[in-house]
Amino acid sequence: GILSFTMIEAFAQKKWTPETLPMVHLQDSTRYVCNPDGVISSPTTHKVDSILLKLEQDKGVETVVVVVKSIEGDDPYQFGMELGRKYGVGDKKQNSGLIVILCTEDRSYQILTGRGLEGTLPDAICRRVENRVMIPLLKEQQWDAAILETMKALEGIIRQDPSLMREWE
């Protein structure tokens, strides 16, 4: 069948919710980047996935990176909180989950940390990463670089914290 323009428009305008977002990590534990709209390239997705896999193995920090065009309600903080609650992102003992959200068409973003990461990545540090690394690249609409460089910056900070350790069950 042929898709009418209005149907294509409806597709393009899909706003994600924590319920509808495909959680790639549940299908494949080596994947952390939810990129259902194809906002960032596959090579970038793989690069970020491998950084975050190593980070989880070394430091027990479980991360979800959400890169979409638009979310329902346009509140990435609320979206991230709901996502974290729904999927229990992060090590139970350490509570060291990290959620990074970028909504390109909403022009919004958020870095959220579990309680166990707040010492390592307090709001002020997250803000600094956003202001120095993320925002300049977002202004240039360099989505791939914005995500990759932000995740590298956060990873660098997390790796400097000797108190974070992977718990071996």
Side-chain angles (χ1 to χ4, degrees):
I2 295 166
L3 287 174
S4 70
F5 182 66
T6 50
M7 277 177 78
I8 292 169
E9 230 174 14
F11 268 127
Q13 289 307 311
K14 181 162 181 50
K15 288 179 179 290
W16 297 98
T17 67
E19 288 68 44
T20 59
L21 185 75
M23 291 295 281
V24 293
H25 196 67
L26 298 178
Q27 281 92 54
D28 177 348
S29 65
T30 66
R31 294 179 62 201
Y32 301 84
V33 180
C34 304
N35 181 35
D37 298 330
V39 172
I40 58 175
S41 72
S42 200
T44 297
T45 301
H46 292 306
K47 263 183 224 150
V48 173
D49 280 340
S50 66
I51 289 169
L52 297 177
L53 175 62
K54 290 277 304 145
L55 196 59
E56 185 169 8
Q57 287 168 344
D58 298 344
K59 291 290 191 179
V61 174
E62 188 182 69
T63 309
V64 176
V65 178
V66 177
V67 188
V68 293
K69 290 180 177 173
S70 192
I71 55 172
E72 222 161 76
D74 187 20
D75 183 346
Y77 176 80
Q78 207 42 55
F79 188 93
M81 292 300 282
E82 277 175 48
L83 204 64
R85 272 196 296 273
K86 185 170 166 57
Y87 295 105
V89 178
D91 181 289
K92 289 280 168 287
K93 282 197 205 79
Q94 277 194 155
N95 194 357
S96 55
L98 173 63
I99 300 176
V100 177
I101 297 174
L102 170 62
C103 312
T104 54
E105 283 176 11
D106 296 340
R107 302 179 69 91
S108 62
Y109 55 85
Q110 187 77 46
I111 298 172
L112 293 102
T113 57
R115 248 177 236 104
L117 257 190
E118 282 170 1
T120 312
L121 286 174
D123 287 348
I125 298 281
C126 292
R127 260 339 141 280
R128 191 178 306 158
V129 169
E130 290 168 355
N131 290 331
R132 291 186 185 169
V133 180
M134 199 182 214
I135 295 170
L137 291 163
L138 293 180
K139 283 183 176 160
E140 303 287 315
Q141 298 198 352
Q142 296 185 33
W143 315 133
D144 285 70
I147 288 296
L148 184 58
E149 296 310 316
T150 298
M151 298 322 296
K152 280 184 184 168
L154 294 173
E155 179 217 18
I157 296 161
I158 291 167
R159 287 201 176 276
Q160 288 166 11
D161 185 342
S163 73
L164 289 171
M165 285 304 298
R166 171 119 192 232
E167 292 281 350
W168 298 101
E169 301 300 305

